[in-house]
Amino acid sequence: MYNNYFNLKQAPFSIAPDPRYLFMSERHREALAHLLYGIGSGGGFVLLTGEIGAGKTTVCRCFIEQVPQNCRLAYIFNPKLTVEELLLTICDEFRIALPPASSGAMGVKAYVDAINAYLLASHAQGNNNVLVIDEAQNLSAQVLEQLRLLTNLETSERKLLQIILIGQPELRTILARPELEQLAQRVIARYHLGPLSEAETGAYVAHRLSVAGTHAGSPIPLALAPLIHRLTGGVPRRINLLCDRALLGAYVENSAQVTPKILRRAAQEVFAGEPAAARAPLRWPLVAGGVLAGAAISAAAWQAVPHAVAPVPARAQAVAAAAPAGQPVKPVAAAAATTASAVAAPAPHQPLALATQEEALRELGALWGQQLPAGEPCQGAPKLGLRCYTGRGAVYELRLLDRPAIVALHDGQNLGYAVLSAMDADSATLSVNGRREKVSLGALATRFDGEFTTLWKAARGFRDEVKPGDSGPDVDWIAGRLAQLDESTAPPPAQPFDASTRRLLRSFQAAQNLKADGVAGPRTYMRLNQLSGVDEPRLFAATAATATPAAPGKPK
C-alpha cells in the first residue's frame, strides 16, 4: 500500500525469509561459524538456540547454502514425530531405500539398520552426513534418545552422523534433564543467538530499506534506531512488524518520514496485549583504538578443540553487577604485559582443568596487582580500588571489551571457569591457577557459555551510575576526563552533572559505540579509563600501546 508513496520497489519489512534481505550481524556470523565448525568436527550434536524471531532460520538457510559438496544434508522442520515417524523421515530425506510396503510393517530396528548401512556406504565414498532438526524444542525425550543412539555408529576416527538441533531457549532446559545427560555430553558446540544491539538495529533497518529501493531521505530516520530497539528488544521479526506498521502509519498521515509519535502508536497497535518488550542485554561495543578493526572469526579458524577440560561442579551464583570505574591507582602495566605474552601450553596428556568462580576471580585480580579476598571476591574488590562487571555475550563481546576476564566454559552439563588473559586475531590464552594454554578462537567459542566477569579500577565512593544533577568526586573525574579527550578546559570541582557535561558525555558515548544516554555506567567508565591513560591490563596488550586515543566524535 505504501510502496509507491515512499518510492519503494517492494515491502521492505515482510516477515517472509527473502534471501535478498539477508542481514548477518556479528552474532549471526558467530552462530553460522558454529554450524560450519560442526560439519568437520567428527560427529556428535551441535546446538543453536535463540528467542522466537531472533534469526535462527536465517542462519540455518545460510548454513545450508555453504555446506561443502561432499556433505549430504537432511532437514526436518516439523519434529513433532514419534520415533518410527522420525526414522522414516530421516530415510526419506537421505533417500535411503527401504523394503516395499507389501513386506509388512517395519519396526525401529529395520529403520536403524537401513540408516546404518547408508551411513557406512556414504562414509566409504568420502561423504559427510548432517541431520538438521528445526524447532527441536518439540522433540520428545524418546525421540532425543533415539537420535543419540544414531550417533553411536562410528569409525576409529569419527562418528558417521552429525546432528544439528535448532530451537527456542527451552531446548537448553530440556537437554539439562538428568535422563538426557548422555546426549548433553555429546554436544560439541552450542550457541545462543541473542537480539541485535542498538547499533545493529539501525543498520538492519537501513539495510532492508536500501534493498527495497530507498536512497536519499530514508522514510525511517537513523535517529529512531534507539527507540526501535527499545520497543522491539532488538528481535528482527519484531522490528519487521513494527517498521511495517510504522510506514503504513506515515502513509496514512501523509508524512514524508516516520516520527517517534507514529512509531510509538505503531508499537501500541502491533504489540497490543503483550507485556512491554524486554530490552536487549546491554551490549555497548567498544572501539579499541583500531586494535579490533576487522577482527572476525572465519570458518577456517574454527578448528577442533585442542584440549580436554575436566568437569567441575556447576557454577556458583552469578557475581554481583559492576560498579563504576574511577581514578587511576598503582600501575601494573608491566605485570599485565608479561602475563599476556606468556603462553606456556601444557602437554596434551595434561588437560587444563577448570577452576571455580572464586579461584578464577582471585587469579584475575592478580593481573590488576591486587589480592582479592576469599569468599566473596567482588564484594571486597572496592576496598582495593577495583570493581567487578559481569555480562553475557559471545567471543565478539570479549574482543570489544579488550580486557582480561574470567569466562564460564562448559563440559557437558558441568561448568567451570578460566581466566582469559590474552587474545589476538586468531587465538586466545586461557589461564587456570597459573597454568596457561593457547587455543584457537573457534575452540574458545565452542566451550564458552557466554558468561564473563572482568575488573576495572575505581576510586572508593564512586557510584554505580552518574546521572544529571549528581555532584561529587566521580562527577569531577568524568568531567575532567571528557575535557581531556575533547582538548577543552575542565570545569571547576564540585560542579553538578549539568546539561553541558551530559552533551559532552553523549558525544563521547556515540563516538565509542556506547549507549548514548548521557548516563555514566560501567562500560562508559571502562572506556574512559582506557582512553585517558588509566593503567589497566588489556587483552591485546602487544598492540594496545600503539593505539592513539580518539577524541569524541572524531574518527580513529
Side-chain angles (χ1 to χ4, degrees):
M1 183 181 295
Y2 55 72
N3 290 348
N4 291 336
Y5 180 77
F6 291 114
N7 296 316
L8 301 172
K9 293 180 294 185
Q10 61 256 145
F13 296 103
S14 169
I15 61 174
D18 189 335
R20 293 173 299 174
Y21 289 92
L22 174 64
F23 178 85
M24 291 288 283
S25 70
E26 183 71 18
R27 294 164 188 81
H28 288 83
R29 287 193 292 272
E30 287 200 358
L32 175 61
H34 273 75
L35 300 186
L36 292 172
Y37 161 80
I39 293 179
S41 62
F45 290 86
V46 174
L47 183 65
L48 173 62
T49 56
E51 300 292 343
I52 298 174
K56 301 185 295 297
T57 301
T58 297
V59 172
C60 185
R61 287 175 179 270
C62 289
F63 165 72
I64 292 174
E65 292 173 358
Q66 297 185 39
V67 295
Q69 291 184 350
N70 70 333
C71 182
R72 300 292 179 264
L73 192 71
Y75 180 75
I76 298 176
F77 58 88
N78 179 22
K80 284 192 174 182
L81 305 168
T82 65
V83 171
E84 290 81 3
E85 290 170 340
L86 173 79
L87 294 173
L88 177 58
T89 304
I90 293 174
C91 291
D92 290 341
E93 288 291 318
F94 280 125
R95 302 179 185 272
I96 299 174
L98 296 173
S102 59
S103 61
M106 291 184 61
V108 171
K109 182 180 184 303
Y111 286 123
V112 172
D113 288 345
I115 293 172
N116 285 349
Y118 163 79
L119 293 176
L120 284 171
S122 181
H123 174 71
Q125 298 171 6
N127 295 325
N128 291 336
N129 291 276
V130 179
L131 172 62
V132 180
I133 302 180
D134 206 351
E135 302 295 340
Q137 74 277 356
N138 294 319
L139 292 170
S140 67
Q142 293 80 7
V143 169
L144 285 169
E145 175 61 15
Q146 182 60 61
L147 289 172
R148 182 189 70 83
L149 293 175
L150 287 179
T151 65
N152 282 341
L153 186 64
E154 57 190 9
T155 67
S156 58
E157 298 177 352
R158 60 180 295 122
K159 292 183 180 295
L160 299 184
L161 181 62
Q162 173 76 68
I163 299 177
I164 296 175
L165 302 178
I166 302 174
Q168 295 172 20
E170 53 263 37
L171 177 59
R172 295 183 296 177
T173 304
I174 293 172
L175 296 184
R177 294 174 182 171
E179 63 268 24
L180 294 175
E181 181 178 358
Q182 287 182 299
L183 189 153
Q185 291 179 358
R186 297 191 185 188
V187 176
I188 60 171
R190 64 184 73 203
Y191 189 86
H192 183 73
L193 187 60
L196 300 178
S197 67
E198 185 177 295
E200 289 169 338
T201 297
Y204 175 83
V205 172
H207 167 75
R208 295 190 71 100
L209 287 170
S210 176
V211 173
T214 186
H215 297 289
S218 172
I220 302 181
L222 185 59
L224 289 179
L227 180 56
I228 294 173
H229 183 263
R230 187 160 60 249
L231 292 171
T232 64
V235 177
R237 188 177 300 168
R238 294 176 67 87
I239 295 173
N240 287 357
L241 293 171
L242 175 63
C243 290
D244 179 71
R245 185 61 63 90
L247 287 174
L248 179 61
Y251 164 74
V252 170
E253 295 192 8
N254 199 30
S255 173
Q257 288 186 320
V258 172
T259 64
K261 180 180 179 181
I262 292 174
L263 195 64
R264 291 190 180 94
R265 185 182 302 127
Q268 292 174 352
E269 295 173 359
V270 172
F271 307 134
E274 295 183 16
R279 296 189 182 187
L282 293 180
R283 296 177 178 272
W284 299 325
L286 308 178
V287 183
V291 175
L292 307 178
I297 302 177
S298 65
W302 292 67
Q303 52 191 269
V305 180
H307 64 282
V309 289
V312 296
R315 87 177 76 178
Q317 293 182 349
V319 182
Q327 297 172 338
V329 293
K330 190 174 180 180
V332 291
T338 301
T339 302
S341 61
V343 287
H349 63 281
Q350 294 179 335
L352 189 66
L354 300 179
T356 65
Q357 190 178 53
E358 179 184 335
E359 290 170 342
L361 280 169
R362 286 167 60 82
E363 183 173 358
L364 181 67
L367 297 182
W368 268 260
Q370 298 291 347
Q371 184 176 354
L372 297 182
E376 296 182 339
C378 281
Q379 279 68 18
K383 297 180 180 179
L384 303 174
L386 297 174
R387 302 289 175 91
C388 286
Y389 173 76
T390 298
R392 291 196 63 85
V395 173
Y396 168 70
E397 190 82 0
L398 297 170
R399 292 202 307 265
L400 293 174
L401 276 175
D402 189 21
R403 58 181 52 233
I406 71 166
V407 290
L409 304 175
H410 64 79
D411 178 31
Q413 290 183 298
N414 297 317
L415 283 130
Y417 294 83
V419 175
L420 177 63
S421 58
M423 187 183 288
D424 56 33
D426 302 310
S427 64
T429 300
L430 298 175
S431 177
V432 177
N433 296 323
R435 290 187 57 197
R436 300 183 182 89
E437 183 169 343
K438 193 171 185 178
V439 301
S440 71
L441 291 185
L444 171 63
T446 59
R447 295 286 186 180
F448 182 39
D449 186 62
E451 175 193 322
F452 64 86
T453 301
T454 188
L455 295 170
W456 48 301
K457 292 183 179 179
R460 295 184 67 176
F462 275 30
R463 283 162 285 200
D464 289 355
E465 287 186 346
V466 172
K467 302 177 181 178
D470 290 342
S471 61
D474 43 5
V475 175
D476 296 342
W477 186 89
I478 293 170
R481 293 306 182 273
L482 290 173
Q484 173 189 343
L485 296 173
D486 194 46
E487 299 179 355
S488 59
T489 303
Q495 296 297 308
F497 188 23
D498 56 14
S500 175
T501 304
R502 191 181 188 192
R503 281 195 300 270
L504 198 59
L505 178 59
R506 279 179 168 170
S507 176
F508 170 81
Q509 290 172 327
Q512 300 301 318
N513 283 339
L514 299 170
K515 185 177 181 180
D517 57 0
V519 176
R523 291 282 185 108
T524 298
Y525 274 116
M526 280 188 255
R527 192 64 184 136
L528 282 171
N529 276 356
Q530 289 176 326
L531 293 183
S532 60
V534 175
D535 200 353
E536 294 180 308
R538 307 279 284 270
L539 275 181
F540 294 83
T543 52
T546 63
T548 302
K554 300 179 181 179
K556 294 189 177 182

